[in-house]
Amino acid sequence: MKLGFIGCGNMGTAMIGGILKKGTLKKEDIIVSHLTEAGAERSRKLLGVAVTLDNREVVKSASVIVLAVKPQFYEEVIGQVKEFFTPEHLIIGIAPGKTMSWLEEQCGQPLRIARFMPNTPAKVGEGMTGMCVNERMSDEDIRIVKELADSFGRTEIVPERLMDAVVAVSGSSPAFVFMFIEAMADAAVAQGMPRKQAYSFAAQAVLGSARLVLETGLHPGELKDMVCSPAGTTIEGVRVLEKAGMRSAVFEALTSCAEKGKRM
Ligand SMILES: NC(=O)c1ccc[n+]([C@@H]2O[C@H](COP(=O)([O-])OP(=O)(O)OC[C@H]3O[C@@H](n4cnc5c(N)ncnc54)[C@H](OP(=O)(O)O)[C@@H]3O)[C@@H](O)[C@H]2O)c1
């Protein structure tokens, strides 16, 4: 199987990095396109895959095509390549709001289409990808595309109506987690900890907490209660976060993300 990426920025690089690291495909099996020579040079250096500035070249030489440009450029790049799509092609969209029926309509013919909503932790093999497929995808097609997504983290197949929720809860949320880590580290720096060390402490605390949720299956509230000794330090922090409306802020932020995704 030959895999092609139209556009290869943050997300494309993270996905291909995972695919190569896991050995799902070899460098020779992957081709990516760029808008600029600078981008092309970056992919040559970072990934070592075949690179072109001609999007049509990607479609002509690969059978699985990932549309990895920003959502506002989807229409333009599909317009450039659609005459080269054949029934052998399998198309994967990764943009919020670009539904499978919209993609098929833009491509102008019945095609096997999947949508991934990955996230940047894919870069270190810890991605979370929501995936949905259209009715033309066979079980074998689904196996092939899921194997790709599994190369850079966990994958769950969801109905398309949940893709906007996925955009919020795992596509965008790493940005909020990074803000949280940065804020925690700032506080540690204010207490005198060197900055680099503060990032390690904060990030490992987030990583370990996430693993506790995933590996114990315990309710996050129960895990929180286990940290809060009576009259201790943690419950003081909980009081401050509740007063500042932390839960509500997170709830509203993710709702805004999902709503924005629906409008794209
Ligand atoms: N970033 C995330 O966390 C995330 C998460 C989930 C989904 N996504 C989705 O992933 C997609 C890509 O996002 P990104 O963050 O990777 O964007 P990005 O870093 O800006 O990368 C966009 C890539 O598209 C290329 N490009 C732009 N116009 C092109 C054209 N006409 N022909 C060919 N290539 C073109 C750029 O080429 P140059 O390198 O030459 O400039 C660049 O490599 C978006 O649809 C986004 O919604 C992103």
Side-chain angles (χ1 to χ4, degrees):
M1 186 246 287
K2 267 223 150 194
L3 177 64
F5 274 67
I6 297 186
C8 186
N10 285 317
M11 206 56 246
T13 304
M15 291 166 75
I16 296 172
I19 290 167
L20 292 175
K21 200 167 168 206
K22 189 94 185 265
T24 312
L25 292 174
K26 296 199 217 50
K27 287 175 183 177
E28 304 79 67
D29 302 323
I30 302 177
I31 178 167
V32 305
S33 65
H34 279 272
L35 185 63
T36 64
E37 184 48 48
E41 188 50 29
R42 195 181 58 235
S43 283
R44 265 186 222 109
K45 271 205 185 122
L46 272 178
L47 302 167
V49 298
V51 175
T52 174
L53 294 179
D54 182 357
N55 293 332
R56 290 167 304 182
E57 195 59 38
V58 173
V59 175
K60 284 192 236 166
S61 53
S63 56
V64 179
I65 308 294
V66 181
L67 301 168
V69 295
K70 289 284 183 198
Q72 58 270 35
F73 301 126
Y74 261 55
E75 219 169 315
E76 183 186 325
V77 301
I78 294 172
Q80 290 166 4
V81 301
K82 65 180 184 184
E83 62 179 297
F84 300 98
F85 283 143
T86 68
E88 309 315 314
H89 279 106
L90 223 151
I91 315 298
I92 303 173
I94 64 168
K98 303 300 182 205
T99 61
M100 293 185 287
S101 60
W102 183 90
L103 289 167
E104 196 170 58
E105 199 183 309
Q106 295 296 312
C107 294
Q109 56 178 302
L111 284 170
R112 290 172 294 157
I113 297 178
R115 274 180 75 191
F116 283 180
M117 184 43 59
N119 63 8
T120 55
K123 202 166 190 155
V124 290
E126 289 291 350
M128 180 69 231
T129 301
M131 168 183 147
C132 60
V133 297
N134 77 356
E135 67 290 349
R136 293 182 220 289
M137 296 271 291
S138 68
D139 289 349
E140 178 59 8
D141 296 332
I142 296 171
R143 191 194 63 74
I144 290 170
V145 293
K146 185 166 180 300
E147 190 183 1
L148 286 178
D150 285 342
S151 325
F152 41 84
R154 294 177 184 234
T155 315
E156 285 205 22
I157 299 177
V158 297
E160 189 168 30
R161 67 182 164 77
L162 290 184
M163 287 303 266
D164 299 309
V166 175
V167 168
V169 76
S170 59
S172 300
S173 66
F176 315 141
V177 175
F178 299 137
M179 289 167 74
F180 185 57
I181 290 173
E182 206 184 359
M184 287 200 291
D186 277 348
V189 170
Q191 293 294 323
M193 186 179 274
R195 185 157 283 280
K196 208 169 162 222
Q197 195 173 29
Y199 290 136
S200 305
F201 271 84
Q204 179 62 32
V206 170
L207 177 68
S209 308
R211 285 190 62 185
L212 263 182
V213 173
L214 291 172
E215 290 174 23
T216 63
L218 290 174
H219 189 286
E222 202 176 335
L223 289 165
K224 178 213 85 190
D225 290 351
M226 283 159 61
V227 195
C228 296
S229 327
T233 55
T234 312
I235 197 70
E236 281 304 311
V238 168
R239 183 172 62 87
V240 173
L241 286 176
E242 293 292 13
K243 195 171 171 199
M246 185 217 189
R247 285 173 197 257
S248 167
V250 173
F251 201 144
E252 289 302 315
L254 267 70
T255 304
S256 271
C257 273
E259 294 303 326
K260 173 82 179 186
K262 285 187 187 130
R263 296 194 298 272
M264 287 175 94

